Amino acid sequence: MSGRGVSRILTIGATALGAFYLGSHFERQKRIDGPDGGSPRLPGLPTFGTVSAASLIPAQESNVSLAATPSRIGQIMKYGFPGLDNVRSHSDYVLSYDRRNRVPHWVFEHLTPDSVAKNDAVDRAKCDFKQDESIHPYFRSQNTDYRRSGYDRGHMAAAGNHRLHQKHCEETFYLSNMAPQVGQGFNRDAWNTLEMHVRKLTKIYPNVYVCTGPLYLPRKEDDGKTYVKYEVIGANTVAVPTHFYKVVVSEATDQKLHMEAYVMPNQVISNDTPISVFQVPPETVERAAGLLFFDQMNRKQLATVNGKKV
């Protein structure tokens, strides 16, 4: 990509995220340690204990679907839930579903060298996109919504991250794990590059935790006003996000933690654009998404953010 092209992407990102960043900077300065010396808290806001697998209440009471074993949920959500809206689990990932927009709020994964390794017993070609029948029919997306829409059914939990068992891979094809993504130039290219980067982190770190989801960012228009606008597709009016995020924490053998955060526009991106162009402060994503990522993480263990020492 030419310097002008990269500059254009950076300008788009700066316009959309700039308003969030300033507030995030001051918010970060105001955070204080929780009573256990662990994750920081915002003064004046209520605090919550760690939401563990053992403390999850029955699905009919909490909208939490316990398809995965409690111990696996505990592993995946080791560092806390970003939010608790319509949380449900599958055998190898956990998600929060956005009923209004028919896409996830967030999807959480725990990757290991074994889970991403090539496995001849797992065949992606045998996986079919399917509606998630655990979602109320009013709020489901369907394959017909995507048909002839011009968008791919973009995985939030990537199929390539779940290769231990065929079932794990198949469950990534639930439409509750999808959001509309530009195909050529994004889902099949730049976004895929980011997914591969996250998988490669397992060659360095034994445990990698990743949270992925959509964003709907504001943009100033010709009248000088700022709007949040996005397309919807299909009879079920599935929202087309303007951007997508990934927030990643890699756990080293010495228990040090390394965090990365990315926001990418849902548009064609040249293959020669480095993913580092899309790195942003994690708290910027939190403000934009209305979520708190890795909130139960002990900040004293955090060694780097986007490759820089903290």
Side-chain angles (χ1 to χ4, degrees):
M1 173 175 280
S2 68
R4 180 177 299 176
V6 172
S7 296
R8 181 176 179 273
I9 289 175
L10 288 171
T11 299
I12 292 172
T15 301
L17 290 170
F20 295 104
Y21 179 70
L22 183 59
S24 298
H25 172 76
F26 291 110
E27 188 169 290
R28 179 173 55 181
Q29 298 304 314
K30 292 191 296 182
R31 287 189 176 186
I32 59 175
D33 285 341
D36 59 354
S39 60
R41 303 293 184 188
L42 297 182
L45 292 183
T47 61
F48 300 90
T50 302
V51 182
S52 67
S55 68
L56 289 175
I57 56 180
Q60 63 268 27
E61 297 179 31
S62 67
N63 289 323
V64 177
S65 170
L66 300 183
T69 62
S71 60
R72 184 58 182 140
I73 295 173
Q75 290 171 346
I76 297 169
M77 307 309 302
K78 176 179 179 179
Y79 292 114
F81 287 69
L84 292 172
D85 185 22
N86 293 306
V87 176
R88 58 196 62 240
S89 68
H90 294 290
S91 54
D92 206 38
Y93 68 93
V94 177
L95 66 84
S96 167
Y97 189 70
D98 183 345
R99 289 177 168 183
R100 184 173 70 88
N101 286 322
R102 279 75 169 173
V103 298
H105 287 297
W106 54 262
V107 177
F108 228 103
E109 303 167 90
H110 167 226
L111 311 186
T112 66
D114 288 340
S115 72
V116 303
K118 181 176 172 55
N119 183 353
D120 292 336
V122 175
D123 186 355
R124 177 180 173 136
K126 294 180 180 178
C127 302
D128 295 318
F129 291 98
K130 54 195 172 186
Q131 63 179 325
D132 187 342
E133 295 187 356
S134 74
I135 306 291
H136 190 285
Y138 287 177
F139 312 122
R140 292 179 200 163
S141 61
Q142 299 182 18
N143 283 311
T144 52
D145 294 317
Y146 286 86
R147 193 169 299 148
R148 292 187 291 276
S149 69
Y151 293 98
D152 283 2
R153 293 162 289 194
H155 285 71
M156 299 295 95
N161 295 348
H162 302 273
R163 292 170 171 163
L164 270 179
H165 303 287
Q166 181 69 26
K167 179 182 178 182
H168 291 180
C169 186
E170 289 175 355
E171 289 184 347
T172 68
F173 283 79
Y174 281 117
L175 292 179
S176 56
N177 180 46
M178 306 294 159
Q181 290 186 326
V182 170
Q184 195 69 37
F186 185 70
N187 178 43
R188 307 168 208 173
D189 297 285
W191 184 252
N192 183 51
T193 299
L194 179 57
E195 291 175 334
M196 290 190 294
H197 165 72
V198 173
R199 284 195 285 276
K200 287 178 182 177
L201 291 173
T202 64
K203 295 182 182 296
I204 305 170
Y205 305 103
N207 295 287
V208 175
Y209 301 85
V210 55
C211 189
T212 305
L215 292 172
Y216 309 89
L217 296 184
R219 186 170 181 173
K220 184 173 287 188
E221 299 204 348
D222 292 341
D223 62 2
K225 297 180 180 179
T226 302
Y227 298 86
V228 175
K229 290 185 178 181
Y230 54 90
E231 183 182 354
V232 297
I233 59 172
N236 293 299
T237 60
V238 180
V240 180
T242 64
H243 295 71
F244 290 91
Y245 68 81
K246 278 190 185 290
V247 182
V248 185
V249 165
S250 300
E251 187 181 82
T253 53
D254 63 0
Q255 302 305 306
K256 293 294 185 181
L257 303 177
H258 304 271
M259 179 179 278
E260 302 175 21
Y262 300 86
V263 171
M264 301 183 78
N266 190 11
Q267 64 184 49
V268 174
I269 298 171
S270 175
N271 283 334
D272 59 3
T273 306
I275 61 171
S276 59
V277 166
F278 304 104
Q279 285 187 331
V280 297
E283 60 270 21
T284 304
V285 188
E286 290 179 316
R287 287 181 62 87
L291 302 167
L292 292 175
F293 301 108
F294 300 96
D295 198 38
Q296 298 299 323
M297 177 174 65
N298 185 342
R299 302 292 170 178
K300 294 178 182 177
Q301 293 177 254
L302 188 60
T304 64
V305 175
N306 292 332
K308 298 179 180 179
K309 291 184 179 181
V310 295

